[in-house]
Amino acid sequence: MPVSSAETGSDRLAGLLAEHRELEAELADPAVHADAARARRLGRRYAALAPVVETVRALDAARDDLGAAREFAAEDASFAREAEQLEATVTDLTARLTELLLPKDPDDDKDVILEIKAGEGGAESALFAGDLLRMYLRYAERRGWSTEVLDAVDAELGGYKDVAVAIKSRTDEGIFARLKFEAGVHRVQRVPVTESQGRIHTSAAGVLVLPEAEEVDVTVDPNDLRIDVFRSSGPGGQSVNTTDSAVRITHLPTGIVVSSQNEKSQLQNRESALRVLRSRLLAAAREEAAATASDQRRSQVRTVDRSERVRTYNFPENRISDHRVGFKAHNLDAVLDGDLDPVLDALTAAHTTELLAAGS
């Protein structure tokens, strides 16, 4: 006998409520906090489940009040109006709970490593990559997140050929859920500073958003790594270090290559490169698993594919356009200063709508 979607949803809700109780008990155990990484992981999951628990409690209370109001309405007409209001509340809370029970990306509650790579457009693309980095750093500052530049390859005329930054939450807020739709090709239209005729040029930069992997997520066998060291260099290849402190790591089984030269210490650069490597390996494993999953899951992976042009920044018209959801706004200057919430809200809402439609 097939299981109905209602039964499946009910079972999932019961499982989430039970998990919340178990996490609450674990977090109350002082021994758990001796392992900071584990405590942080449990705390994030507990925080992620809190909206579900709060909504269930509010819905149960509203249903109880509605039952009482209907009983009293038979004797006192004034309760009829209260019953109508409670019916609306129950409807709203039910819709809210339905959204909260939608399938979640397992990485939504993770911190992220965000990489920006200059693309077509030469020097102008590198300058645009610098603009994007500043935009994300400003947005992180607005949200109260901490940032750490893991690696940066400067361009000769300014900006970056390649830059990687770790973005971490100071609370239990999941950052990947907020930033994952930023992945893709970002296009800029403006008059470059090197353009003497005043012509508008189009260039692009690629953004990659990776959930930061912890050591428990990905096991890296040291025997699978080739580690090379070299001297850090600045714009135009100019050496900025007199020691071989920069590190390049090649993961032999996959061919993934990462490097770091931002720190003066070879050990620090090695750890930064390993952080990026672990996150890339986790992302690759997720994509491989998704390739055998449902069409819905595969479409989500395509949404965050770097090869897809996702957004255009038009400077002459002060306009930002997100091509996936048809979002447009004439406040490009504010967006580049970190006011990203409106476009991110639009992307999140569209994603939720797609999931609801697939579920129905």
Side-chain angles (χ1 to χ4, degrees):
M1 177 179 175
V3 179
S4 70
S5 59
E7 290 173 326
T8 302
S10 177
D11 292 343
R12 182 163 185 268
L13 176 58
L16 293 176
L17 294 176
E19 183 184 359
H20 185 268
R21 290 191 295 271
E22 292 168 3
L23 289 169
E24 191 169 45
E26 284 189 85
L27 289 169
D29 182 358
V32 168
H33 296 274
D35 183 344
R38 183 189 176 203
R40 179 177 172 83
R41 191 163 58 250
L42 295 178
R44 287 198 162 183
R45 180 58 178 163
Y46 183 76
L49 292 177
V52 174
V53 175
E54 292 167 3
T55 303
V56 167
R57 289 171 179 168
L59 182 56
D60 287 343
R63 284 172 172 164
D64 289 342
D65 291 343
L66 176 58
R70 284 172 173 168
E71 287 183 20
F72 291 133
E75 301 174 2
D76 187 341
S78 64
F79 283 98
R81 175 60 178 163
E82 182 178 350
E84 290 179 4
Q85 294 174 339
L86 287 167
E87 285 175 358
T89 300
V90 168
T91 299
D92 291 343
L93 288 172
T94 300
R96 167 69 173 155
L97 185 58
T98 299
E99 288 190 14
L100 290 171
L101 291 177
L102 290 172
K104 292 287 192 297
D105 189 311
D107 297 319
D108 273 352
D109 62 348
K110 291 185 179 294
D111 294 326
V112 307
I113 290 178
L114 187 146
E115 297 184 58
I116 307 171
K117 299 177 182 295
E120 299 176 1
E124 171 62 13
S125 176
L127 290 169
F128 179 49
D131 292 336
L132 290 177
L133 175 63
R134 180 181 180 276
M135 178 181 74
Y136 291 122
L137 293 178
R138 292 284 290 137
Y139 181 65
E141 182 182 354
R142 288 172 180 243
R143 301 284 297 203
W145 300 336
S146 65
T147 57
E148 175 189 0
V149 176
L150 299 178
D151 188 41
V153 180
D154 298 325
E156 189 170 355
L157 298 180
Y160 299 94
K161 295 178 182 178
D162 196 340
V163 60
V165 57
I167 305 178
K168 287 184 169 291
S169 171
R170 291 189 171 95
T171 64
D172 292 323
E173 179 182 11
I175 297 181
F176 186 70
R178 194 63 179 159
L179 292 182
K180 62 184 176 182
F181 297 118
E182 288 302 288
V185 175
H186 294 237
R187 185 177 67 171
V188 61
Q189 295 174 325
R190 63 183 174 188
V191 179
V193 293
T194 55
E195 171 57 58
S196 59
Q197 303 298 319
R199 293 173 296 189
I200 296 174
H201 286 222
T202 298
S203 58
V207 175
L208 182 63
V209 183
L210 303 171
E212 177 157 12
E214 300 179 29
E215 292 190 32
V216 296
D217 297 321
V218 176
T219 300
V220 178
D221 186 343
N223 294 322
D224 290 337
L225 304 179
R226 185 178 73 234
I227 301 178
D228 302 305
V229 295
F230 57 98
R231 291 187 180 182
S232 301
S233 60
Q238 178 183 5
S239 177
V240 295
N241 217 335
T242 57
T243 61
D244 293 336
S245 62
V247 173
R248 181 185 300 109
I249 300 178
T250 303
H251 186 248
L252 300 175
T254 62
I256 294 175
V257 180
V258 296
S259 61
S260 178
Q261 60 175 355
N262 211 51
E263 303 294 341
K264 293 182 179 179
S265 160
Q266 184 182 122
L267 186 62
Q268 289 176 309
N269 282 324
R270 184 177 185 277
E271 182 53 39
S272 293
L274 281 173
R275 287 173 66 183
V276 176
L277 175 62
R278 282 194 293 266
S279 296
R280 288 193 185 176
L281 289 173
L282 177 63
R286 294 282 195 253
E287 290 184 14
E288 183 178 352
T292 59
S294 65
D295 290 339
Q296 175 190 332
R297 176 58 179 153
R298 282 199 294 272
S299 71
Q300 292 174 40
V301 173
R302 285 197 299 271
T303 300
V304 296
D305 188 342
R306 280 190 62 248
S307 66
E308 181 182 349
R309 187 191 71 189
V310 296
R311 191 175 299 151
T312 296
Y313 303 73
N314 186 300
F315 276 71
E317 298 180 18
N318 194 35
R319 186 185 74 237
I320 179 171
S321 305
D322 195 285
H323 307 294
R324 295 162 292 181
V325 294
F327 177 93
K328 289 185 179 181
H330 291 272
N331 66 335
L332 178 57
D333 49 352
V335 171
L336 290 173
D337 195 42
D339 186 12
L340 267 174
D341 277 328
V343 64
L344 295 182
D345 287 343
L347 289 163
T348 302
H351 180 59
T352 299
T353 300
E354 289 178 4
L355 290 178
L356 287 169
S360 63

